[in-house]
Amino acid sequence: MEQAEKTNNLENEDVNDGSKSTNQGWTCRLVVASLFGAFGSSYLYGYNLSVVNAPTMYVKEFYNKTWNDRYGQPMEAASLTLMWSVTVSIFAIGGLVGAIMVSPLVKRLGRKGTLLLNNIFAIVASLMLALGEVAGSFEMLILGRFVIGVDAGIALSALPMYLGEISPKQIRGALGQIHSVFICVGVFTGQVMGLPELLGQESRWNYMFGIIMVPALVQLLTLPFLPESPRYLLLEKQDVAGAEKALQAFLNKKDVSKELEEVQEEYRAQHSIHLVSMIELFKTPSVRWQIITASVTMGCYQLCGLNAIWFYTNNILKEAGMDSNQIPYITLSTGGMEVLVAVVSGTIIEHVGRKPLLIGGFGAMAVFYGLLTIFLNLQTKAYWLPYLSFGSIMGVITSFCIGPGGIPFILTGELFEQSYRPAAFMIVGIVSWLSNFAVGLLFPFIQEAFGTFCFMVFAVTCLAGAIFLYFVLPETKGKTFAEISQSFSKINRVAVSTTKEKTESGAAKEKVENSDTENGQDNDITEM
């Protein structure tokens, strides 16, 4: 009778404990951390992709006026175009610098600490961009774009790393998609602020850049109250108590022994957590194809051409024959579609999986790029053909946001275990930002050289990416980091023991060590 009562009490305790968390692992702390983390990071990246689109004409006029005031003559047209191209594309150079910085930062400061420090770059950049016109300095605008690029380069690596490490494996993909959703929200907000009725005017365009400060300040005020990554605390700082407390906060339950054991299995699988450098990562045979897969996926993410559409949407729509007065509102609809599809992708990713969404997204983009090329070449044949061109642009955007828009960041965190993750994000970040810079700088010249056939370059890239991922990428849905690494053992031609074997080996080692001490708990902490 007493035993039955005890069992019922334990069951009731488990039920009450589980009722505190939301369905399928979603908790208030996880949602708050992802929302505020993404608002000060992903949102700013998306906003800075689109914010330069609307004020292009006014910024060029400012450049020309400043040049004329300094040197007594207007700037040559070619020089003005080059300077504006540099202003747009130097954002990616800053991103490259940020990607190089992120590995030592996350090692020293942690994931949350890096995100907090990163807000300083956003605030400084906002001041430089907003006050450049007042100071009569176009150099401040160019430098400000570089600094906000550094912010984006750090954020696009540190945030996915943080989200991937704080989320349970069953919702890791859905939580990671919040990063993609906020990029799209940022793009949409930049388009809204660029409307003539708001800040898209000659007297107000600099305020569009001042807004950058707001998300940074919000993140700076909220993130200190949220826990650090439990995996970082346990595996890199050996802070067992801190990791347990963080897990309890994120999962909203007291008993996190199962989750701690999962992290310990990863520790035992790697024998020790030695954070490798980028050079060491390249020399490690067991992760060779993970590096290739992550780099190809991220390269296709940038080279698929969507950044060209974001940077030069207005020009593309003009070429498609749209009325100039309607273009800002048409552009706004593309941003709204991005947000909607990104949200849909987040709701289905754990059901469909990463691989089908990536392959389907890149494949559909190739199809829509082909249709866009056909319609652009025939748009003078009928008055309704420009609308089909716009429909193809919407098809490209929808295909991108359903998979390629967010999953590459999730994959980079999933394909590598703790020892390799910071260096992997640095490598993938470098690939991403070099590709971003190339598209931003070269697309106008590609457009000039190939005319309406320029989008076939992106179609080929998307098709090649889809084919590669079909043959190489394993499905990572619902798997632990150790299990994902094991799925690459065959293609890497490296013998990897199973998790069970590693666990048994670790348990045997622990048993031997326990025989030499009377305090088993102290021994566990020492081993971790």
Side-chain angles (χ1 to χ4, degrees):
M1 183 73 179
E2 183 179 346
Q3 181 64 29
E5 183 178 350
K6 183 178 180 181
T7 302
N8 288 333
N9 289 337
L10 288 173
E11 289 175 349
N12 290 333
E13 182 179 341
D14 290 340
V15 171
N16 293 333
D17 188 50
S19 66
K20 295 177 183 178
S21 60
T22 55
N23 188 33
Q24 294 182 338
W26 291 95
T27 66
C28 181
R29 284 288 181 91
L30 279 175
V31 173
V32 169
S34 59
L35 291 180
F36 283 107
F39 183 57
S41 303
S42 315
Y43 174 86
L44 282 181
Y45 170 68
Y47 183 82
N48 283 288
L49 283 178
S50 65
V51 74
V52 295
N53 198 22
T56 298
M57 180 176 63
Y58 306 126
V59 176
K60 285 184 175 180
E61 289 176 358
F62 163 65
Y63 282 5
N64 198 32
K65 180 180 180 300
T66 304
W67 188 273
N68 189 61
D69 291 343
R70 290 183 186 180
Y71 305 108
Q73 60 182 11
M75 188 181 296
E76 295 181 1
S79 300
L80 183 59
T81 301
L82 178 61
M83 186 169 290
W84 175 244
S85 180
V86 169
T87 305
V88 172
S89 57
I90 203 170
F91 175 72
I93 298 298
L96 177 62
V97 173
I100 294 172
M101 293 170 57
V102 76
S103 181
L105 284 176
V106 296
K107 289 178 186 178
R108 182 176 295 272
L109 303 177
R111 284 54 165 156
K112 188 184 81 169
T114 300
L115 290 172
L116 284 170
L117 176 68
N118 197 33
N119 292 301
I120 296 174
F121 291 105
I123 294 170
V124 171
S126 176
L127 292 173
M128 297 182 72
L129 289 164
L131 299 177
E133 184 188 27
V134 177
S137 171
F138 53 73
E139 293 89 351
M140 286 180 64
L141 265 70
I142 296 173
L143 186 58
R145 283 284 291 175
F146 172 80
V147 175
I148 196 61
V150 174
D151 172 89
I154 294 173
L156 290 194
S157 292
L159 180 67
M161 205 181 305
Y162 182 59
L163 295 182
E165 292 181 6
I166 68 173
S167 60
K169 63 183 179 181
Q170 66 267 25
I171 62 167
R172 194 168 56 225
L175 192 74
Q177 278 294 82
I178 292 177
H179 169 68
S180 174
V181 170
F182 269 80
I183 291 177
C184 297
V185 172
V187 171
F188 181 67
T189 306
Q191 293 168 343
V192 171
M193 292 301 172
L195 291 174
E197 294 83 356
L198 295 177
L199 301 181
Q201 302 179 17
E202 186 174 6
S203 60
R204 300 178 183 175
W205 63 265
N206 52 338
Y207 295 120
M208 294 178 66
F209 297 110
I211 292 174
I212 293 171
M213 188 183 300
V214 176
L217 290 174
V218 170
Q219 189 182 80
L220 201 58
L221 293 173
T222 55
L223 213 56
F225 299 99
L226 295 166
E228 177 58 270
S229 159
R231 286 179 174 273
Y232 169 77
L233 292 173
L234 182 60
L235 298 180
E236 297 182 32
K237 305 300 289 185
Q238 288 78 51
D239 183 359
V240 181
E244 183 176 9
K245 187 177 179 180
L247 278 171
Q248 289 171 340
F250 280 128
L251 302 181
N252 199 20
K253 62 181 184 179
K254 292 182 179 180
D255 184 9
V256 292
S257 56
K258 182 180 178 182
E259 288 76 15
L260 282 173
E261 177 59 26
E262 180 183 313
V263 181
Q264 289 171 6
E265 284 185 11
E266 183 178 342
Y267 175 85
R268 288 192 288 265
Q270 298 183 70
H271 306 297
S272 66
I273 299 299
H274 163 66
L275 297 181
V276 304
S277 66
M278 192 168 65
I279 302 300
E280 290 174 317
L281 187 62
F282 278 123
K283 293 180 178 179
T284 306
S286 61
V287 294
R288 183 175 295 120
W289 276 95
Q290 288 95 310
I291 297 171
I292 295 172
T293 303
S295 298
V296 169
T297 306
M298 190 61 75
C300 289
Y301 165 84
Q302 295 288 2
L303 296 174
C304 69
L306 202 79
N307 281 347
I309 290 179
W310 277 334
F311 284 143
Y312 303 102
T313 300
N314 288 5
N315 289 335
I316 291 170
L317 294 177
K318 285 179 182 177
E319 290 293 326
M322 298 291 179
D323 188 295
S324 298
N325 295 326
Q326 296 177 348
I327 284 178
Y329 307 97
I330 296 172
T331 302
L332 193 62
S333 67
T334 65
M337 178 61 71
E338 291 169 26
V339 176
L340 177 62
V341 178
V343 171
V344 171
S345 178
T347 62
I348 66 174
I349 186 172
E350 295 299 348
H351 300 284
V352 179
R354 284 71 154 151
K355 186 172 182 176
L357 290 178
L358 269 177
I359 295 173
F362 280 129
M365 287 181 75
V367 172
F368 282 113
Y369 274 134
L371 292 175
L372 178 60
T373 302
I374 294 172
F375 296 143
L376 287 176
N377 277 280
L378 298 176
Q379 66 182 7
T380 58
K381 303 296 182 181
Y383 73 91
W384 43 266
L385 278 169
Y387 296 98
L388 292 182
S389 298
F390 175 66
S392 299
I393 291 174
M394 294 293 281
V396 169
I397 292 171
T398 301
S399 303
F400 176 83
C401 292
I402 199 68
I407 295 178
F409 299 98
I410 299 171
L411 274 183
T412 303
E414 289 183 329
L415 296 184
F416 299 91
E417 295 180 289
Q418 195 78 16
S419 296
Y420 309 122
R421 198 170 292 131
F425 268 99
M426 181 188 292
I427 293 171
V428 173
I430 291 172
V431 171
S432 174
W433 287 104
L434 284 176
S435 303
N436 183 297
F437 176 75
V439 172
L441 187 64
L442 298 178
F443 179 71
F445 302 101
I446 294 173
Q447 193 176 26
E448 184 178 345
F450 294 98
T452 53
F453 290 96
C454 63
F455 293 104
M456 292 307 297
V457 176
F458 301 128
V460 172
T461 301
C462 292
L463 186 60
I467 294 172
F468 174 87
L469 293 171
Y470 177 79
F471 287 105
V472 175
L473 180 67
E475 182 54 65
T476 61
K477 179 183 68 173
K479 295 182 180 179
T480 65
F481 295 120
E483 290 170 343
I484 294 168
S485 294
Q486 291 163 23
S487 65
F488 277 91
S489 60
K490 184 176 181 180
I491 191 171
N492 282 323
R493 298 181 180 178
V494 174
V496 178
S497 58
T498 64
T499 303
K500 181 179 178 181
E501 290 171 345
K502 290 172 181 173
T503 304
E504 290 174 351
S505 175
K509 178 182 177 183
E510 184 177 337
K511 184 176 180 180
V512 171
E513 290 175 346
N514 283 341
S515 66
D516 297 330
T517 179
E518 294 179 359
N519 192 335
Q521 182 179 3
D522 291 342
N523 189 71
D524 288 341
I525 294 175
T526 303
E527 183 184 358
M528 285 189 292

